[in-house]
């Protein structure tokens, strides 16, 4: 979990460091990113209710939660 969080934060920081203009944004003058991630352990994947499709859906939920709670954020869901 720690490595995933570190990678998300590094990606976010790298994009911020580019300082790419984002004139149409109401949030920031420069481009920022929000990241959502979901992952499951091998043990959790043995549960038939956890599928690749459900993980993608969970990651999408985390992405929109990151956007809706301030943008320029990275959130993770661990199953």
């Amino acid at each position: 979990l720690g490595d995933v969080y570190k990678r998300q934060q590094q990606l976010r920081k790298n994009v911020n460091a580019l300082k790419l203009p984002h004139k149409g944004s109401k949030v920031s003058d420069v481009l920022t990113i929000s990241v959502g991630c979901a992952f499951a352990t091998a043990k959790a994947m043995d549960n038939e209710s956890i599928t690749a499709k459900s993980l993608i859906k969970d990651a999408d939920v985390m992405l929109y939660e990151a956007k809706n709670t301030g943008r320029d954020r990275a959130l993770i869901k661990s199953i």
Side-chain angles (χ1 to χ4, degrees):
L1 184 61
D3 286 341
V4 173
Y5 181 75
K6 286 178 189 176
R7 287 178 190 259
Q8 285 180 313
Q9 291 302 324
Q10 191 60 52
L11 179 61
R12 197 182 56 73
K13 288 177 185 178
N14 289 348
V15 170
N16 287 345
L18 295 172
K19 299 196 183 299
L20 298 172
H22 196 235
K23 295 178 183 176
S25 174
K26 296 177 183 175
V27 177
S28 175
D29 293 336
V30 296
L31 182 70
T32 63
I33 63 168
S34 295
V35 182
C37 180
F39 73 93
T41 63
K43 184 177 179 179
M45 290 296 290
D46 287 340
N47 179 343
E48 291 182 17
S49 67
I50 299 174
T51 63
K53 188 174 182 175
S54 70
L55 285 174
I56 291 168
K57 182 179 177 183
D58 287 340
D60 194 50
V61 168
M62 297 310 294
L63 170 61
Y64 282 94
E65 186 175 328
K67 287 182 175 189
N68 291 330
T69 56
R71 305 228 174 183
D72 194 24
R73 301 192 62 195
L75 297 178
I76 304 169
K77 179 176 183 176
S78 174
I79 301 168

